[in-house]
Amino acid sequence: DVVMTQSPLSLSVPLGQAASISCRSSQSLVHRTGNTFLNWFLQRPGQSPRRLIHLSFIRESGVPDRFSGSGSGSDFTLNISRVEAEDVGVYYCMQGTHWPPYTFGQGTKLDIK
Amino acid sequence: EVQMVESGGGLVQPGGSLRLSCVASGYNFNIYPMHWVRQVPGKGLEWVSRISDDGRSATYANFVKGRFTISRDNAKNTVDLQMNSLESEDTAVYYCTGDANSLGDAWGPGTTVTVSS
């Protein structure tokens, strides 16, 4: 199974400041098709997860452009350029290249300092 | 607007069975695979099962061990999860989710399964 490792596991950021979450996989996530099936999700308190990014860098419709995904191979990053109050929650990376199983990172909890 | 709504959760004794159901609306249901993902309260997300768009192919997490069966009805836009031989470790919120451009494009609110005597 592909192991997804996120860091840090918690993050406290002042409003308006930048935040960065790392996600590393135990093997390359480049699929034989050339796609990289790496997704980022946000789960706000008391809510279901919401996908922010798919294919490692493509922002979902309606996701603010302060969110960006980058990286390749086995090393990925979610960046938030200016943190807002609504960004609080737990962020998960997930790989869909080598399945089954699909595997998630442990989650990174973001709160406002 | 895309909506997915799960139902069928509840309290069941160890060794018992439950059937979860998810109905999707506003979604191109019959062209995408569907998944069930679970979350133990206070813990992370865990993939459970996937079914292909035509319902012919199903895959499961190892911990399912032949106890769960996923199915779908494209005429009704539903995906079900039959869970047998339930264990306390299966206690979680169960979400159904779609697979447009990979897992997780749309999620329901979840249904809670509690396995306890």
Side-chain angles (χ1 to χ4, degrees):
Chain A
D1 298 357
V2 177
V3 177
M4 305 296 288
T5 303
Q6 291 182 227
S7 63
L9 297 184
S10 65
L11 200 50
S12 189
V13 180
L15 287 172
Q17 296 300 300
S20 183
I21 300 171
S22 170
C23 175
R24 290 195 167 97
S25 56
S26 58
Q27 58 184 280
S28 172
L29 298 186
V30 179
H31 191 263
R32 64 179 185 275
T33 60
N35 289 321
T36 297
F37 294 101
L38 186 283
N39 298 341
W40 288 97
F41 298 91
L42 165 60
Q43 188 173 31
R44 294 185 174 116
Q47 295 187 15
S48 304
R50 174 195 181 188
R51 196 168 73 184
L52 302 175
I53 302 281
H54 67 270
L55 294 176
S56 78
F57 69 95
I58 299 176
R59 206 179 306 117
E60 300 292 334
S61 175
V63 173
D65 61 7
R66 64 177 183 277
F67 290 92
S68 63
S70 63
S72 61
S74 58
D75 197 350
F76 302 91
T77 303
L78 178 71
N79 287 299
I80 310 172
S81 59
R82 297 171 305 279
V83 168
E84 298 189 3
E86 66 179 15
D87 302 337
V88 165
V90 181
Y91 291 81
Y92 297 93
C93 62
M94 184 225 81
Q95 69 84 23
T97 296
H98 304 289
W99 62 272
Y102 293 78
T103 48
F104 291 86
Q106 318 97 299
T108 296
K109 186 175 183 179
L110 174 69
D111 63 26
I112 304 299
K113 183 182 285 185
Chain B
E1 179 191 2
V2 175
Q3 277 199 323
M4 296 190 184
V5 180
E6 305 92 341
S7 61
L11 174 63
V12 61
Q13 292 189 338
S17 299
L18 277 177
R19 188 176 184 89
L20 307 183
S21 187
C22 170
V23 59
S25 59
Y27 190 70
N28 287 323
F29 186 83
N30 60 356
I31 67 172
Y32 295 124
M34 293 293 294
H35 301 259
W36 286 94
V37 173
R38 72 183 187 182
Q39 185 172 36
V40 173
K43 302 296 184 182
L45 300 168
E46 183 174 47
W47 175 78
V48 176
S49 182
R50 172 192 188 273
I51 189 165
S52 60
D53 56 353
D54 61 5
R56 294 184 177 185
S57 175
T59 50
Y60 301 93
N62 285 341
F63 61 77
V64 167
K65 301 173 192 172
R67 301 180 296 131
F68 295 1
T69 303
I70 191 171
S71 60
R72 69 189 294 163
D73 184 336
N74 283 350
K76 297 180 180 178
N77 283 11
T78 58
V79 56
D80 290 352
L81 187 69
Q82 176 66 41
M83 305 189 297
N84 299 330
S85 303
L86 284 162
E87 305 165 352
S88 58
E89 293 79 11
D90 297 316
T91 293
V93 176
Y94 285 73
Y95 298 100
C96 74
T97 184
D99 193 324
N101 295 310
S102 190
L103 181 154
D105 61 316
W107 295 71
T111 187
T112 300
V113 172
T114 303
V115 185
S116 174
S117 54

